[in-house]
Amino acid sequence: MTLDMRRIIDPDTYFDHNLPPTNLQWAHDEVDKFVKTQSPDQRIVLVTSGGTTVPLENNTVRFVDNFSAGTRGSSSAEQFLAMGYAVIFLYREQSLQPFNRNYSHNTRGILSYLERINGQIRVKPEWEEKMGRDLDSYQKYTQEGKLLMVNFTTLSDYLFLLREVSLLVASLGPRVMFYLAAAVSDFFIPSHSMSEHKIQSASGDLTLHMNQVPKFLRPLVKNWVPQCFIVSFKLETDPELLGPKARHALEKYGHQVVVANMLNTRKCQVWLFTKEEAQNPAIIQISKEDVDAGKDIEQDIVEELARRHQQYIANAQQQDLSA
Ligand code: PMT
């Protein structure tokens, strides 16, 4: 497979040349309703989670995917809810979901948590307390209208939905946080360049030309939601690149925070880069023992970001008063 990175697509024209997801109108209506039912001072966060797929055929049989399971996003969504945020959870279909995450994608299937006693199906006693807590939280937040889940699969679905949600929440300004933890593909094949049907193996080796996906952080920060508090994530595998790339993203897009993480240590260590702390980023870390004991680093990440978000809102209110 070879990558053709010379043809860079303009973010503004991307939407003219790619098909929207089938749930776009549904998502528009639900997000609109969700936002309108929140109180005027309610803090809202859009959490993006999981990886995007990149189809190789229009009638898709094969696609390129990535490693992200949605652990960061789903755990963070739970923390934001616990801290009083209303959460729009934009997640990859079949990746981890808040509260449900504890019973999926592990080595056990859902049936291993259940048993049948005297004809009645029930949760096994050793799981009752934890599952009860998760069930109560999940029902409470969804019934109170504090958690809305919107799913995507492909890169194109994700980008259309990200833009749609952004435009719907933009007018709420500083009280909205964007927490962009999804692992978004950097390369794709535009619809018009893709094979219509399943690529045939009869012609031998396969060479793919993939275009670079435009960096959507640019229009997001500059045009779609210029007043919101934006947190992007930077993932690297080479430790030499992490700091420089995080600083570069801050300079290039001019948003509030870059959370930098390494693939192999992302569950115990992240760095928070801001304009003021570009050379000396805050470190958030927990021990391997804490991770093994079931602690999520997202508790600390979200707590710190919520504190900074509060400050951002206060500063914006101060500026409004003095204007
Ligand atoms: O889901 P888990 O298994 O828990 O893993 C969590 C995580 C490692 C995926 C998460 O912590 C993380 O780092 N997410 C961002 C991964 C990523 O896409 O990094 P990047 O360096 O390729 O992109 C940096 C930023 O640019 C991202 O915030 C992304 O939203 C944005 N981007 C990326 C591609 C693109 N075409 N346009 C963009 O704007």
Side-chain angles (χ1 to χ4, degrees), residues 68-72 181-182 184-186 213-214 216-217 233-234 261 266:
S68 171
T71 310
R72 175 84 83 224
V184 182
S185 176
D186 286 319
V213 178
F216 276 84
L217 270 174
F233 281 72
K234 172 59 47 198
N261 52 180
R266 67 190 190 278

Side-chain angles (χ1 to χ4, degrees), residues 58-74:
N58 276 319
N59 289 286
T60 308
V61 174
R62 304 185 186 87
F63 51 83
V64 178
D65 203 348
N66 66 56
F67 70 94
S68 171
T71 310
R72 175 84 83 224
S74 56

Side-chain angles (χ1 to χ4, degrees), residues 48-51 66-74 96 155 158-159 162 179-187 212-220 231-236 245 249 253 255 258-263 266-267 270 298:
T48 71
S49 184
N66 66 56
F67 70 94
S68 171
T71 310
R72 175 84 83 224
S74 56
L96 298 177
L155 169 76
Y158 172 82
L159 294 175
L162 178 66
Y179 184 89
L180 303 170
V184 182
S185 176
D186 286 319
F187 306 105
Q212 191 170 6
V213 178
K215 285 289 181 189
F216 276 84
L217 270 174
R218 186 189 292 284
L220 184 98
V231 179
S232 73
F233 281 72
K234 172 59 47 198
L235 174 75
E236 290 298 339
K245 295 289 279 287
Y253 306 117
H255 58 301
V258 175
V259 180
N261 52 180
M262 296 292 297
L263 182 65
R266 67 190 190 278
K267 293 190 186 204
V270 305
E298 286 76 17

Side-chain angles (χ1 to χ4, degrees), residues 222-277:
K222 294 272 175 293
N223 309 328
W224 300 347
V225 286
Q227 293 178 329
C228 297
F229 184 80
I230 298 170
V231 179
S232 73
F233 281 72
K234 172 59 47 198
L235 174 75
E236 290 298 339
T237 56
D238 177 350
E240 298 294 315
L241 290 180
L242 190 63
K245 295 289 279 287
R247 278 188 283 275
H248 180 67
L250 272 182
E251 279 161 25
K252 192 162 160 196
Y253 306 117
H255 58 301
Q256 284 67 43
V257 185
V258 175
V259 180
N261 52 180
M262 296 292 297
L263 182 65
N264 293 332
T265 56
R266 67 190 190 278
K267 293 190 186 204
C268 11
Q269 195 170 35
V270 305
W271 291 263
L272 304 191
F273 285 81
T274 62
K275 204 162 66 179
E276 296 73 27
E277 299 157 296

Side-chain angles (χ1 to χ4, degrees), residues 39-85:
S39 63
D41 57 351
Q42 172 68 56
R43 285 166 304 155
I44 297 174
V45 63
L46 170 73
V47 175
T48 71
S49 184
T52 59
T53 67
V54 173
L56 304 188
E57 300 121 342
N58 276 319
N59 289 286
T60 308
V61 174
R62 304 185 186 87
F63 51 83
V64 178
D65 203 348
N66 66 56
F67 70 94
S68 171
T71 310
R72 175 84 83 224
S74 56
S75 171
S76 301
E78 291 176 16
Q79 296 307 318
F80 277 117
L81 288 163
M83 296 200 68
Y85 276 78

